[in-house]
């Protein structure tokens, strides 16, 4: 009887470990999705700032482009 009880406990323990692993995996996936969205927002923000800065940097100035040989 004690052997059967140990097997049930072992099964319950295994299921708990698998459940915890699944929860941790889901949390990591959610975090990575959030990081991806944050990086996309940051890139969009930087892109809009850089396009406005380029025009203002050359306003009223002569720009000479020298080719490199």
């Amino acid at each position: 009887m004690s052997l059967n009880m140990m097997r049930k406990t072992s099964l319950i323990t295994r299921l708990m470990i698998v459940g915890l692993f699944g929860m941790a995996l889901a949390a990591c996936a959610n975090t990575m999705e959030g990081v991806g969205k944050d990086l996309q927002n940051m890139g969009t923000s930087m892109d809009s700032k850089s396009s406005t800065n380029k025009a203002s940097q050359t306003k009223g100035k002569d720009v000479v482009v020298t080719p490199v040989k």
Side-chain angles (χ1 to χ4, degrees), residues 2-67:
S2 69
L3 182 61
N4 192 17
M5 185 70 129
M6 287 178 63
R7 284 185 184 171
K8 285 184 181 179
T9 305
S10 177
L11 179 62
I12 291 172
T13 304
R14 288 179 189 172
L15 288 175
M16 286 176 47
I17 290 171
V18 168
L20 289 173
F21 181 73
M23 287 172 45
L25 188 62
C28 290
N30 189 20
T31 302
M32 291 307 293
E33 181 181 354
V35 169
K37 287 180 181 179
D38 289 342
L39 286 174
Q40 186 174 10
N41 290 341
M42 187 178 7
T44 303
S45 173
M46 289 173 64
D47 186 38
S48 65
K49 287 180 183 177
S50 68
S51 64
T52 58
N53 286 343
K54 284 181 184 176
S56 65
Q57 287 175 352
T58 60
K59 187 175 182 180
K61 297 179 182 177
D62 292 331
V63 178
V64 179
V65 178
T66 307

